[in-house]
Amino acid sequence: MSNNQLKQANLANLPSHIDIPRYDRSQLKAGIVHIGVGGFHRAHQAMYINELLQTPGSEQWAICGIGLLENNRSLRDILVKQDYLYSLVVRHPNGQIDNKIIGSMIDFIFAPDNKQKVIDKLANIDTKIVSLTITEGGYNIDPLTGDLDLDNPDIAHDIAHPNDPKTAFGYIAAALKIRKANNSQAFTVQSCDNIQHNGVVTRKMLLSFTAQLDPELSQWIAQYVAFPNAMVDRITPVTTKDDIDYVAQHFGLTDEWPITCESFAQWVIEDNFSDGRPNWDLAGAQFVTDVTPFEKMKIRLLNAGHSVLGLLGSIHGYGTIDETISDKGFSDYLRAFMDLEVTPLLDELDGINLEQYKDTLIERFSNPNIKDSLVRICSESSAKLPKFIIATVHENLAAGRDCSLAALVIATWCLYSDKQVNQQQEAIDIQDVMGDELAEYAHQTTNHKLSFLKLEGLFGDLMSQAAFSQVYADAIEALYSPTSNIKNIMKNTLENKQHALALETK
Ligand code: CS2
């Protein structure tokens, strides 16, 4: 089959096993402007809108993407060439594959070259929702105070130059200022990142940002802008050459940036919007009044579970999540971490059986058709771990519970940042904005076992909490011993914990 470029004019000729947009894309309006068009957005929110558009009635809810980062330039070029279409390859655990073309994105603005265009787009009253996937780090939360980090250079720049923004907050504030001046309705700001209370956090960060810029604007935002909380979920690995080749072969199409994802998808949204919203529930999302317990369950089990496998598996020398969890030493450790150190902190949820939820997570992680790399999982651990794992440690310590399984994961993160090689002495690819700082503190471990914990912004007071520092020091000692072997250490840590628990219940 000779390959066609993926674009609107070529859709009609595609084989029938490919699910294409059955709606008239020329009639769509971008009621949603989305900042941060990564793989996750394209597998999740844009997919939900695509499903919704397949039946009439939601034409005003298409998406205009915004790329803030310099490396979004090539994404813009590809999307323009492809009429903003892309392939979504949905891979089920049993090998079934759903082949789709997603048509819900109808425009994309590359912000660095078109700042005013982005501000005007957000300020335009046809924009009802500004949604975000800017990653955990993109919120610029000062980990010590929980407030906006005003020292962050991009935030400082945007406060000094409100008409020349770089950050999502800078653009949103500039647009809301115009809305306020025009007495127009405010748009909703909808976070789709893995942060507990993501709406509340976004609101807090935006209000402290605008308080620096224009206190009246800040008050207006506090009064009129809605920030719904949401739990978002779909595992979406980084696109590889194999994914591009798959689409070329099975769709007969050249798509330079297809997305592959798992079949599971979940979106639980607080029904709190300033200016209307799509009926995402018709496409499988769930509207609730309080999303807190769903967020906590997902972040502390799924995202934390990923980081547990990611760090331990990287030191062992594994490359992907499915490979790591197929090793019983790792799946047993993960399940014990979930059962013993996370589940006691979670609230009962109507309609959710936690045991089944955890079983499903193990099944999802085991999906052999999703080659989710440990490099992706461990990337930006400095922004992820405080929310995914360290928060759990603090809550357990406050309740007087042992944290030895999490302590080994954090000690492994120290070893990983220090040596940057696996047990076979092969280099590990570490992607973290705090990489140098992590390495600097980790390098001192041989002189001072707790040195890594001095990074107070990440760990808070863990160093001075004896119940933690003791188990952490034990883990460091085991990991740094010349004969150290991660699987043996995991096994011993687990056995010691189980033994102690058995004694307690006697
Ligand atoms: C992952 C998430 O970034 C990570 O470490 O845990 O990207 C995860 O795959 C998604 O949140 C799944 O919904």
Side-chain angles (χ1 to χ4, degrees):
M1 184 171 359
S2 76
N3 278 345
N4 288 316
Q5 167 72 49
L6 169 57
K7 58 180 180 188
Q8 185 68 36
N10 288 336
L11 289 186
N13 311 324
L14 288 179
S16 61
H17 68 87
I18 299 168
D19 181 11
I20 59 168
R22 294 184 300 274
Y23 43 91
D24 180 354
R25 294 181 72 229
S26 69
Q27 296 306 307
L28 303 180
K29 236 167 56 179
I32 301 174
V33 176
H34 184 80
I35 303 182
V37 184
F40 176 72
H41 168 72
R42 281 176 276 169
H44 193 259
Q45 184 178 353
M47 174 284 297
Y48 278 95
I49 293 286
N50 182 69
E51 299 308 304
L52 206 54
L53 290 169
Q54 301 284 17
T55 48
S58 300
E59 292 74 14
Q60 73 277 32
W61 291 115
I63 301 170
C64 166
I66 306 281
L68 295 185
L69 308 174
E70 188 49 45
N71 61 14
N72 293 146
R73 194 181 286 275
S74 54
L75 174 63
R76 186 265 321 265
D77 294 344
I78 292 170
L79 287 173
V80 168
K81 214 188 307 177
Q82 301 185 173
D83 296 326
Y84 311 101
L85 293 165
Y86 61 92
S87 322
L88 186 67
V89 178
V90 180
R91 294 182 178 272
H92 297 249
N94 66 4
Q96 184 192 323
I97 304 177
D98 306 334
N99 297 312
K100 292 172 183 287
I101 305 276
I102 304 293
S104 50
M105 200 186 313
I106 55 169
D107 195 5
F108 183 93
I109 312 176
F110 175 63
D113 283 354
N114 302 281
K115 295 196 174 188
Q116 194 55 46
K117 192 168 169 197
V118 174
I119 297 172
D120 292 345
K121 182 75 190 171
L122 301 185
N124 187 306
I125 50 159
D126 287 343
T127 297
K128 309 287 182 192
I129 296 174
V130 175
S131 55
L132 307 170
T133 42
I134 52 176
T135 76
E136 295 76 24
Y139 291 80
N140 294 305
I141 308 167
D142 178 334
L144 271 187
T145 60
D147 291 327
L148 182 69
D149 178 6
L150 296 172
D151 295 333
N152 174 285
D154 289 344
I155 292 288
H157 169 276
D158 282 9
I159 290 171
H161 307 96
N163 298 322
D164 177 36
K166 286 185 176 175
T167 70
F169 296 132
Y171 281 103
I172 291 173
L176 286 172
K177 194 176 167 82
I178 300 175
R179 295 266 182 135
K180 174 175 175 280
N182 294 347
N183 270 322
S184 321
Q185 184 89 14
F187 50 73
T188 299
V189 179
Q190 183 177 26
S191 167
C192 299
D193 282 295
N194 289 310
I195 296 180
Q196 233 173 293
H197 314 307
N198 53 11
V200 172
V201 169
T202 310
R203 180 176 193 271
K204 185 169 174 188
M205 297 305 128
L206 186 63
L207 291 184
S208 21
F209 177 79
T210 47
Q212 301 291 319
L213 272 183
D214 175 347
E216 274 179 31
L217 174 64
S218 200
Q219 273 169 22
W220 186 85
I221 294 175
Q223 195 173 353
Y224 296 109
V225 178
F227 296 84
N229 292 306
M231 180 264 248
V232 294
D233 194 5
R234 186 169 229 187
I235 295 172
T236 313
V238 175
T239 302
T240 62
K241 168 133 189 341
D242 285 351
D243 299 317
I244 297 177
D245 291 347
Y246 173 87
V247 170
Q249 208 183 341
H250 294 266
F251 293 40
L253 281 178
T254 302
D255 178 346
E256 291 178 50
W257 207 322
I259 304 294
T260 294
C261 63
E262 63 167 341
S263 44
F264 182 96
Q266 192 174 13
W267 197 6
V268 186
I269 315 166
E270 196 178 81
D271 198 357
N272 168 27
F273 289 77
S274 329
D275 192 15
R277 57 147 172 92
N279 292 324
W280 275 306
D281 45 339
L282 300 181
Q286 194 181 346
F287 286 108
V288 295
T289 43
D290 181 13
V291 78
T292 313
F294 291 93
E295 294 175 318
K296 186 168 179 185
M297 170 183 79
K298 191 264 172 170
I299 293 171
R300 304 293 186 89
L301 288 171
L302 185 151
N303 297 109
H306 260 164
S307 300
V308 168
L309 294 175
L311 289 164
L312 298 172
S314 295
I315 290 297
H316 183 274
Y318 285 135
T320 61
I321 288 287
D322 64 300
E323 188 187 8
T324 310
I325 203 165
S326 70
D327 182 331
K328 192 164 168 349
F330 289 83
S331 55
D332 285 351
Y333 195 87
L334 173 66
R335 186 64 194 225
F337 167 76
M338 290 178 171
D339 289 345
L340 304 176
E341 296 193 5
V342 183
T343 306
L345 302 171
L346 300 177
D347 296 326
E348 285 291 320
L349 260 174
D350 277 354
I352 296 213
N353 174 324
L354 272 179
E355 291 310 302
Q356 264 170 22
Y357 184 80
K358 289 182 279 188
D359 291 345
T360 309
L361 288 186
I362 306 268
E363 189 191 329
R364 292 169 62 196
F365 289 172
S366 307
N367 185 340
N369 311 305
I370 293 292
K371 300 277 171 234
D372 200 4
S373 73
L374 303 190
V375 171
R376 177 186 91 83
I377 294 301
C378 296
S379 68
E380 304 312 329
S381 284
S382 61
K384 293 175 181 174
L385 261 59
K387 300 175 181 69
F388 299 174
I389 296 185
I390 299 164
T392 290
V393 170
H394 283 290
E395 284 178 39
N396 275 326
L397 290 174
R401 266 191 222 105
D402 167 78
C403 303
S404 49
L405 301 183
L408 175 60
V409 177
I410 296 173
T412 303
W413 186 26
C414 169
L415 179 74
Y416 163 103
S417 310
D418 181 5
K419 309 287 184 204
Q420 312 195 3
V421 289
N422 64 23
Q423 278 178 179
Q424 287 69 252
Q425 303 304 316
E426 293 154 347
I428 304 178
D429 177 6
I430 301 183
Q431 303 173 358
D432 198 309
V433 282
M434 275 187 72
D436 290 345
E437 211 177 332
L438 293 168
E440 187 191 323
Y441 283 79
H443 288 336
Q444 294 159 33
T445 305
T446 30
N447 297 329
H448 176 24
K449 273 188 207 157
L450 303 183
S451 154
F452 196 53
L453 300 182
K454 285 189 194 155
L455 286 158
E456 225 189 343
L458 301 178
F459 301 111
D461 64 356
L462 285 190
M463 190 155 105
S464 57
Q465 295 222 43
F468 182 80
S469 58
Q470 266 161 21
V471 281
Y472 177 83
D474 292 346
I476 288 287
E477 192 160 325
L479 288 168
Y480 277 74
S481 99
T483 55
S484 119
N485 171 294
I486 190 73
K487 276 184 72 176
N488 292 340
I489 301 173
M490 284 159 53
K491 190 161 173 281
N492 291 339
T493 310
L494 191 51
E495 280 173 4
N496 288 343
K497 172 141 185 152
Q498 282 160 344
H499 185 64
L501 283 173
L503 287 181
E504 258 176 42
T505 47
K506 264 196 185 156

